[in-house]
Amino acid sequence: MMTPEEKLCSLGFELPPPPVPAGNYVPARITGNFLYLSGQGARQKDGSFITGRLGDGFSSEEGYQASRNAALQLLAAARQAVGELSRINAVIRIYGMTNATPDYTDHASVINGCSDLFADVFGDAGCAVRSVAGMSSLPFGMPVQIEAMFLLNACTR
């Protein structure tokens, strides 16, 4: 059985460096057997944020890819918090926000980029409860921001 890191590699993904907070907050907090992750946006290789607004020149497919990128940022933050992704027992919750025009309605398909990646990496344990919301703007002009909650193995503390 492959570890989550091996699964990511087999899918052609490499985790980026852990994201550096862009404000006064922590990227992760463990309480009991739960790992809560602050919202992450899609980033360029140099660490700067990808920018764009859905419905205003930024396509749903670009949003889907940005959502997958944000999922990688979340996994990098998770690995930094717990040491290795195999300590994650399940993805519990995803909350995805999209930066979109008022008439844009494909928010759920965009955030599927994150949900699909988590399912690819963790299998059935990667299928989480989820909420999606369209916003009039997001920090730094990012097209998506996603936060997540994971259940950790009992030995992870």
Side-chain angles (χ1 to χ4, degrees):
M1 181 180 244
M2 283 194 269
T3 67
E5 284 89 346
E6 291 169 338
K7 185 65 177 176
L8 279 166
C9 187
S10 76
L11 294 168
F13 294 105
E14 181 179 324
L15 286 183
V20 176
N24 186 14
Y25 63 91
V26 294
R29 171 90 55 202
I30 297 173
T31 183
N33 287 347
F34 293 99
L35 171 63
Y36 296 87
L37 297 177
S38 294
Q40 295 295 331
R43 293 181 185 245
Q44 309 277 358
K45 289 196 183 287
D46 68 2
S48 64
F49 288 103
I50 293 171
T51 60
R53 189 166 193 217
L54 293 150
D56 186 20
F58 201 82
S59 72
S60 294
E61 177 57 31
E62 289 172 308
Y64 180 91
Q65 294 304 322
S67 180
R68 287 175 79 82
N69 180 298
L72 293 172
Q73 303 298 325
L74 288 162
L75 292 175
R79 184 172 66 182
Q80 182 179 43
V82 300
E84 59 186 56
L85 297 178
S86 60
R87 293 186 172 182
I88 294 172
N89 201 32
V91 183
I92 300 299
R93 182 174 188 272
I94 298 168
Y95 177 53
M97 296 161 276
T98 61
N99 178 2
T101 60
D103 60 336
Y104 186 80
T105 60
D106 204 18
H107 310 282
S109 294
V110 167
I111 302 303
N112 278 346
C114 178
S115 298
D116 291 349
L117 183 67
F118 285 171
D120 288 345
V121 172
F122 297 106
D124 289 341
C127 297
V129 299
R130 184 179 91 172
S131 296
V132 177
M135 306 292 181
S136 63
S137 68
L138 288 173
F140 308 104
M142 62 178 84
V144 298
Q145 185 178 52
I146 305 170
E147 60 184 53
M149 178 179 144
F150 297 98
L151 175 65
L152 302 175
N153 297 327
C155 65
T156 304
R157 289 198 186 171

